[in-house]
């Protein structure tokens, strides 16, 4: 079923406070994801152009060579991942198919940004029950953002986390990172800016880490239970569940 099939005869636009709030959250999440990568790109650029790493006393706990190697490799992986996922997501977006695009983050975001009605269709699919929403979230994470988090985001955030922890442990005035950054800014504004970007990036990573840890811990149990109960793979189960939800939604509109 395509969006043209869904919307040619029926209207699915549902302007409620909750839907508008969800839409805003979606937009903010997209902005946060790009800001997260941009922050680390800025950090990498600054590391390469710094004159003397040893003069940056608050953030020089991790050797600069380690930062250069790990950040360069990880950001390179992230950029390649971004290019591939957006290329494939754009391809799925152009097919205009509801089920296929719903199971691809990029295609779903593109459709949602392009049309609030399509966003409402997606929300109706995912709000049947908490279980449906959760298993779909697991599927979407494994296709394929969790790999980027594991192999590209996590290694470089370990360095940022170590730097932040070192900075806090060596501060005699406060354990509040905001106050520490302000104090450093009085001595070295460039160092304070760099630490601010590291801190922002690290805390965004923590937010995504909570999600992906939940996915990792739940995947084994849920996937095995689906295989035992329904006798199908997790992927086939998700595709069927979403397809059934779309057909049910379409039939409900036909009956009105």
């Amino acid at each position: 079923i395509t969006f043209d099939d869904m919307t040619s005869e029926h209207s699915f636009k549902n302007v409620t406070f909750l839907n508008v709030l969800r839409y805003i959250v979606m937009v903010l999440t997209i902005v946060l994801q790009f800001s997260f990568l941009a922050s680390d790109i800025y950090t990498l650029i600054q590391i390469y152009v710094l004159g003397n790493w040893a003069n940056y006393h608050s953030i020089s706990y991790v050797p600069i060579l380690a930062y250069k190697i790990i950040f360069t490799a990880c950001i390179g992986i992230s950029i390649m991942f971004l290019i591939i996922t957006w290329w494939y997501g754009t391809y799925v977006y152009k097919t205009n198919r509801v089920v296929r695009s719903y199971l691809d983050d990029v295609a779903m975001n593109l459709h949602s940004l392009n049309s609030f009605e399509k966003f409402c269709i997606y929300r109706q699919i995912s709000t049947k029950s908490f279980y449906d929403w959760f298993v779909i979230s697991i599927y979407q994470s494994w296709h394929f953002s969790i790999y980027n988090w594991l192999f590209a985001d996590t290694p470089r955030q370990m360095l940022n986390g170590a730097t932040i922890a070192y900075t806090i442990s060596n501060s005699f005035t406060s354990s509040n990172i905001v106050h520490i950054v302000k104090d450093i800014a009085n001595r070295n504004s460039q160092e304070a800016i760099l630490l601010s970007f590291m801190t922002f990036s690290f805390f965004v990573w923590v937010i995504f880490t909570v999600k992906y840890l939940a996915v990792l811990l739940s995947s084994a149990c849920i996937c095995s239970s689906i295989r035992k109960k329904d006798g199908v793979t997790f992927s086939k189960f998700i595709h069927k569940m979403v397809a059934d939800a779309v057909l049910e939604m379409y039939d409900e509109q036909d009956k009105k």
Side-chain angles (χ1 to χ4, degrees):
I1 296 179
T2 66
F3 281 107
D4 291 337
D5 297 327
M6 296 284 289
T7 59
S8 59
E9 299 178 4
H10 310 293
S11 175
F12 292 89
K13 185 179 289 186
N14 186 17
V15 184
T16 64
F17 172 77
L18 192 57
N19 275 347
V20 172
L21 182 62
R22 286 170 174 162
Y23 192 84
I24 293 172
V25 170
M26 179 201 70
V27 173
L28 290 177
T29 301
I30 295 171
V31 172
L32 199 62
Q33 289 172 334
F34 280 101
S35 300
F36 172 65
L37 180 59
S39 176
D40 280 345
I41 291 174
Y42 173 85
T43 299
L44 179 62
I45 293 171
Q46 290 302 309
I47 288 171
Y48 271 100
V49 301
L50 287 179
N52 190 347
W53 182 247
N55 290 336
Y56 292 78
H57 304 292
S58 299
I59 61 175
S60 59
Y61 172 70
V62 178
I64 191 169
L65 182 61
Y67 255 111
K68 286 182 177 179
I69 293 173
I70 293 177
F71 261 63
T72 301
C74 289
I75 290 175
I77 293 171
S78 289
I79 291 174
M80 285 191 293
F81 175 83
L82 189 66
I83 292 170
I84 293 169
T85 53
W86 274 82
W87 172 81
Y88 181 73
T90 303
Y91 166 75
V92 174
Y93 168 79
K94 290 179 179 178
T95 65
N96 208 35
R97 294 179 180 176
V98 181
V99 175
R100 193 172 182 183
S101 64
Y102 180 73
L103 295 174
D104 183 274
D105 278 342
V106 173
M108 182 168 62
N109 287 335
L110 288 173
H111 275 300
S112 297
L113 292 172
N114 184 52
S115 168
F116 185 75
E117 184 175 14
K118 292 178 181 178
F119 172 81
C120 292
I121 291 173
Y122 288 139
R123 295 286 65 79
Q124 284 185 250
I125 295 171
S126 63
T127 53
K128 298 293 182 182
S129 69
F130 174 79
Y131 176 79
D132 289 357
W133 171 83
F134 190 66
V135 294
I136 290 170
S137 296
I138 290 175
Y139 178 89
Q140 290 171 331
S141 295
W142 282 108
H143 296 77
F144 297 93
S145 58
I146 197 169
Y147 299 107
N148 187 61
W149 165 79
L150 185 61
F151 296 111
D153 296 342
T154 299
R156 68 179 190 262
Q157 294 312 320
M158 292 295 98
L159 298 187
N160 282 344
T163 299
I164 295 166
Y166 172 78
T167 303
I168 293 174
S169 65
N170 281 272
S171 173
F172 298 102
T173 57
S174 173
S175 60
N176 187 315
I177 189 64
V178 176
H179 293 158
I180 293 171
V181 170
K182 289 180 179 178
D183 185 53
I184 294 172
N186 294 327
R187 306 190 309 268
N188 188 330
S189 59
Q190 189 174 5
E191 184 177 14
I193 292 171
L194 189 55
L195 182 60
S196 298
F197 275 92
M198 290 178 176
T199 304
F200 166 77
S201 182
F202 179 76
F203 279 104
V204 172
W205 172 80
V206 169
I207 294 171
F208 289 125
T209 295
V210 172
K211 170 189 173 181
Y212 290 126
L213 285 178
V215 168
L216 287 172
L217 294 173
S218 306
S219 293
C221 296
I222 290 178
C223 292
S224 61
S225 66
I226 287 173
R227 184 178 288 274
K228 289 179 182 178
K229 181 180 177 181
D230 298 275
V232 295
T233 63
F234 182 63
S235 180
K236 288 183 178 179
F237 174 83
I238 293 296
H239 278 79
K240 184 179 184 303
M241 183 176 71
V242 175
D244 289 346
V246 172
L247 288 172
E248 181 183 345
M249 190 193 321
Y250 186 79
D251 290 340
E252 286 176 357
Q253 289 294 325
D254 265 347
K255 293 175 183 178
K256 290 183 179 180

